[in-house]
Amino acid sequence: MLKFNIYNKSCYSLAELENNSIESLITDPPYGISYQNNYWDKDLPSKEIWQNSFRVLKEGSFGLVFSSIRLMHRLMVDLEDSGFIIKDVLMWSYLNGMPKSRNVGLTIDKELDIESKKIGEYKYVQGYKKGGADNYIAKTKYKLSPSSELGKKYDGAGLGIKPAYEPIIMIQKPIITSKNIAQNIIINGAGALNLEETRIPYENGETKVGHNPHPNGRVAANILRTDKFKDGYDKFFLVPKVRQNKDDFNYHPTLKPVDLMHHLVKLITFDKQTVLDPFMGSGSTGLACLKLKRNFIGYELDNGYFKIAETRLKKEKTIVDSSLF
Ligand SMILES: C[S@@+](CC[C@H](N)C(=O)[O-])C[C@H]1O[C@@H](n2cnc3c(N)ncnc32)[C@H](O)[C@@H]1O
């Protein structure tokens, strides 16, 4: 029978879990960038969680850890210092990232105490709200253009480019010393990626490439995309971003798409194995696990998010269990 165990507490000690007992780690931890000022995103997690993840994973197990462009280097050092091998960095790319920037020309006007020119109006809403533009209060803002000479020179200049991907660090706990891959898998059931189940099917009408094309498609790549970019490189796993508030009751601000988690769970696990997510949020990894008949262990500190995860997982488990009989 499929199992999920979830804990409403800090994950750092993983005290409930035995050494060398779990086959994979998939998690989306705090990025440490104060995203939308969330209280839990002020810092990167303590290294203790990676040391304990290393302790509870079986030798050869793979892990996938979401990260941010700005701080992934620090997270990678913490993971490596905790004993993991850095195997790859997957890039989950999308088209709808918003540049976090400002018009430097207008900032210069302000600094020089010169009023910028009003050249129009627009409706502004912070973030996306369910129900479309008519269902929330939009503020009217002015479109401005710099008035000062220096402001004009820097009109449109900014401080950052449009973010179009999130990195996902792939790690592995080294296999048992003095054993080879096959011996490690025989002992631990861990040490290989599930490349067969994660093949990307050929598109209708696409000519198969290579001397010996596999009937089920291409091997999964380290680029995952949200939409077709129509640039000739669309042969990767495609998964749209989910909107916050997509489900009425799920208000988690950094909700990950279950389809994305589904692909990642399939990539590093095999049937009936167990996935650990120490920072489960609203439980998206767990949901993907149940759909794929993987066992799941999750931790979440915040009681509100924990309850959302519990509701989602219980509902999915009822569906999965009834389909087993
Ligand atoms: C980026 S979010 C995960 C969101 C998740 N991927 C989803 O789809 O809902 C990270 C989560 O880690 C939780 N968290 C932060 N510190 C924690 C800790 N020490 N132990 C357990 N959870 C923690 C936060 O409350 C937050 O919900």
Side-chain angles (χ1 to χ4, degrees):
M1 179 71 98
L2 207 56
K3 279 193 304 221
F4 75 85
N5 284 328
I6 55 175
Y7 302 96
N8 184 195
K9 59 184 287 197
S10 174
C11 59
Y12 284 169
S13 70
L14 296 180
E16 296 71 18
L17 310 183
E18 287 177 20
N19 296 355
N20 300 315
S21 60
I22 292 168
E23 291 92 0
S24 72
L25 169 82
I26 301 181
T27 196
D28 175 24
Y31 290 179
I33 55 172
S34 289
Y35 178 72
Q36 292 181 347
N37 239 347
N38 283 298
Y39 76 93
W40 47 264
D41 197 39
K42 300 277 180 249
D43 291 305
L44 281 176
S46 150
K47 215 187 326 186
E48 191 186 343
I49 181 55
W50 311 125
Q51 291 163 340
N52 278 314
S53 298
F54 188 87
R55 171 179 71 73
V56 303
L57 286 173
K58 296 179 177 178
E59 294 96 342
S61 299
F62 280 88
L64 292 165
V65 183
F66 282 78
S67 185
S68 71
I69 296 167
R70 267 168 43 205
L71 289 182
M72 72 169 148
H73 60 294
R74 294 208 175 277
L75 183 54
M76 282 162 109
V77 169
D78 284 350
L79 289 163
E80 199 176 54
D81 285 353
S82 305
F84 289 107
I85 304 166
I86 306 288
K87 295 287 289 188
D88 208 328
V89 179
L90 282 62
M91 197 189 273
W92 175 37
S93 55
Y94 37 80
L95 293 167
N96 57 352
M98 295 291 284
K100 291 171 192 53
S101 194
R102 66 180 89 170
N103 184 343
V104 170
L106 299 177
T107 318
I108 291 173
D109 272 5
K110 207 170 173 191
E111 184 62 30
L112 297 174
D113 217 8
I114 293 175
E115 200 178 337
S116 303
K117 256 185 282 166
K118 290 177 186 145
I119 54 169
E121 283 183 7
Y122 64 98
K123 299 269 183 225
Y124 172 81
V125 181
Q126 174 112 43
Y128 169 88
K129 297 276 183 299
K130 198 171 179 172
D134 299 335
N135 278 9
Y136 47 82
I137 304 151
K139 283 188 209 151
T140 301
K141 288 208 168 196
Y142 293 112
K143 284 185 194 166
L144 299 173
S145 166
S147 303
S148 66
E149 278 314 302
L150 195 61
K152 283 180 193 161
K153 177 173 175 180
Y154 284 94
D155 188 15
L159 305 176
I161 53 177
K162 174 184 161 77
Y165 75 92
E166 264 174 68
I168 307 171
I169 306 163
M170 181 186 273
I171 53 173
Q172 188 182 19
K173 178 167 172 173
I175 61 171
I176 306 169
T177 326
S178 79
K179 300 280 181 222
N180 63 33
I181 291 284
Q183 291 165 338
N184 193 85
I185 292 176
I186 291 164
I187 297 167
N188 274 337
L193 297 172
N194 196 342
L195 299 183
E196 281 309 300
E197 281 191 60
T198 44
R199 281 187 178 274
I200 313 298
Y202 302 108
E203 287 189 51
N204 285 344
E206 190 189 356
T207 319
K208 293 177 186 162
V209 287
H211 324 281
N212 185 17
H214 192 287
N216 298 337
R218 294 181 170 77
V219 170
N222 55 7
I223 295 184
L224 317 172
R225 289 188 160 186
T226 52
D227 298 289
K228 286 182 188 270
F229 288 14
K230 298 197 171 55
D231 60 358
Y233 287 91
D234 278 330
K235 293 154 177 102
F236 303 115
F237 182 73
L238 287 170
V239 53
K241 269 195 146 183
V242 274
R243 296 289 190 188
Q244 191 185 342
N245 298 336
K246 183 176 162 289
D247 297 328
D248 284 331
F249 71 100
N250 191 349
Y251 56 84
H252 201 294
T254 64
L255 177 67
K256 290 289 181 294
V258 177
D259 285 349
L260 171 65
M261 304 318 294
H262 196 270
H263 178 72
L264 299 179
V265 170
K266 249 197 302 184
L267 184 61
I268 64 166
T269 61
F270 292 79
D271 205 23
K272 302 198 181 79
Q273 292 188 329
T274 301
V275 176
L276 166 65
D277 182 353
F279 300 96
M280 74 171 166
S282 63
S284 309
T285 311
L287 217 60
C289 288
L290 296 184
K291 285 180 194 294
L292 281 162
K293 306 205 175 34
R294 285 4 175 210
N295 299 305
F296 176 68
I297 301 173
Y299 287 77
E300 173 54 50
L301 191 54
D302 182 286
N303 185 253
Y305 300 152
F306 177 84
K307 285 193 177 135
I308 298 171
E310 192 174 43
T311 308
R312 291 174 90 197
L313 293 172
K314 278 186 177 161
K315 192 169 158 209
E316 187 60 35
K317 184 150 178 355
T318 315
I319 298 169
V320 176
D321 282 348
S322 60
S323 73
L324 291 177
F325 299 103

